[in-house]
Amino acid sequence: MQTLAHFGDGGPGPWILLFPLIWALVIGGGITLLRRTVRRGHRGPGRFAVDENSPIAVLGHRFASGEIDEDEYWRRLSVLDERFGRTGKGGAA
Protein backbone atom coordinates (compact mmCIF):
# COMPACT_ATOMS: atom_id res chain seq x y z
CA MET A 1 0.00 0.00 0.00
CA GLN A 2 1.42 3.35 -1.01
CA THR A 3 0.41 6.31 1.12
CA LEU A 4 1.46 9.90 1.59
CA ALA A 5 2.74 10.38 -1.95
CA HIS A 6 4.74 7.15 -2.19
CA PHE A 7 6.43 7.25 1.21
CA GLY A 8 8.61 4.20 0.60
CA ASP A 9 9.68 5.43 -2.84
CA GLY A 10 11.22 8.70 -1.69
CA GLY A 11 8.06 10.78 -1.14
CA PRO A 12 7.63 13.27 1.70
CA GLY A 13 6.12 10.70 4.06
CA PRO A 14 4.28 11.57 7.24
CA TRP A 15 6.26 14.83 7.63
CA ILE A 16 4.00 16.42 5.04
CA LEU A 17 1.28 16.50 7.73
CA LEU A 18 3.33 18.95 9.83
CA PHE A 19 3.13 21.79 7.29
CA PRO A 20 -0.62 22.45 7.73
CA LEU A 21 -0.14 22.27 11.49
CA ILE A 22 2.71 24.80 11.38
CA TRP A 23 0.65 27.18 9.21
CA ALA A 24 -2.33 26.83 11.58
CA LEU A 25 -0.06 27.75 14.52
CA VAL A 26 1.39 30.76 12.66
CA ILE A 27 -2.06 32.06 11.67
CA GLY A 28 -3.48 31.43 15.15
CA GLY A 29 -0.53 33.23 16.75
CA GLY A 30 -0.98 36.20 14.43
CA ILE A 31 -4.67 36.46 15.24
CA THR A 32 -3.94 36.24 18.97
CA LEU A 33 -1.28 38.94 18.70
CA LEU A 34 -3.61 41.26 16.79
CA ARG A 35 -6.46 40.77 19.27
CA ARG A 36 -4.20 41.52 22.24
CA THR A 37 -2.78 44.62 20.53
CA VAL A 38 -6.24 45.99 19.70
CA ARG A 39 -7.53 45.22 23.20
CA ARG A 40 -4.72 47.26 24.82
CA GLY A 41 -5.96 50.38 23.03
CA HIS A 42 -9.11 50.43 25.17
CA ARG A 43 -9.22 51.82 28.67
CA GLY A 44 -11.27 50.40 31.49
CA PRO A 45 -14.53 48.54 31.43
CA GLY A 46 -16.40 51.38 29.72
CA ARG A 47 -13.82 51.57 26.93
CA PHE A 48 -13.88 55.36 26.92
CA ALA A 49 -10.62 57.24 26.87
CA VAL A 50 -11.35 60.34 28.94
CA ASP A 51 -8.74 63.04 29.26
CA GLU A 52 -8.06 63.98 32.89
CA ASN A 53 -8.68 67.65 32.06
CA SER A 54 -11.94 67.07 30.22
CA PRO A 55 -15.10 68.61 31.70
CA ILE A 56 -16.56 65.17 32.37
CA ALA A 57 -13.47 64.07 34.30
CA VAL A 58 -13.43 67.31 36.31
CA LEU A 59 -17.11 66.82 37.12
CA GLY A 60 -16.41 63.27 38.25
CA HIS A 61 -13.58 64.45 40.51
CA ARG A 62 -15.79 67.13 42.03
CA PHE A 63 -18.50 64.56 42.75
CA ALA A 64 -15.99 62.09 44.21
CA SER A 65 -14.51 64.75 46.50
CA GLY A 66 -17.95 65.76 47.76
CA GLU A 67 -18.03 69.29 46.30
CA ILE A 68 -21.35 68.59 44.55
CA ASP A 69 -24.20 66.23 45.39
CA GLU A 70 -25.61 63.44 43.24
CA ASP A 71 -28.50 65.44 41.82
CA GLU A 72 -26.21 68.23 40.66
CA TYR A 73 -23.76 65.68 39.25
CA TRP A 74 -26.42 64.00 37.08
CA ARG A 75 -27.90 67.33 35.99
CA ARG A 76 -24.53 68.68 34.88
CA LEU A 77 -23.54 65.37 33.32
CA SER A 78 -26.67 65.36 31.14
CA VAL A 79 -25.79 68.87 29.91
CA LEU A 80 -22.22 67.77 29.14
CA ASP A 81 -23.48 64.68 27.34
CA GLU A 82 -25.65 66.83 25.10
CA ARG A 83 -22.94 69.38 24.46
CA PHE A 84 -20.04 66.99 23.76
CA GLY A 85 -22.14 64.36 22.02
CA ARG A 86 -21.28 61.42 24.23
CA THR A 87 -23.72 58.59 23.96
CA GLY A 88 -24.42 55.74 26.28
CA LYS A 89 -26.16 55.28 29.56
CA GLY A 90 -24.36 56.08 32.78
CA GLY A 91 -22.36 59.10 31.71
CA ALA A 92 -18.71 59.28 32.71
CA ALA A 93 -16.42 56.33 32.24
Side-chain angles (χ1 to χ4, degrees):
M1 183 174 178
Q2 296 177 348
T3 59
L4 294 173
H6 309 287
F7 174 63
D9 297 331
W15 298 105
I16 193 74
L17 299 176
L18 284 178
F19 289 110
L21 179 65
I22 290 171
W23 276 111
L25 289 173
V26 168
I27 292 170
I31 290 172
T32 302
L33 182 66
L34 284 173
R35 289 184 72 190
R36 285 181 168 228
T37 303
V38 169
R39 191 174 297 152
R40 288 177 194 233
H42 299 283
R43 287 188 187 175
R47 295 186 180 135
F48 291 114
V50 178
D51 182 24
E52 287 297 319
N53 295 326
S54 73
I56 294 175
V58 171
L59 181 65
H61 290 300
R62 288 186 63 199
F63 176 65
S65 67
E67 291 180 38
I68 58 175
D69 63 352
E70 185 177 0
D71 291 333
E72 186 174 353
Y73 170 78
W74 287 113
R75 185 172 43 82
R76 290 178 183 229
L77 184 63
S78 66
V79 171
L80 290 174
D81 282 343
E82 290 175 8
R83 183 168 183 182
F84 292 105
R86 285 202 36 189
T87 59
K89 193 173 182 180

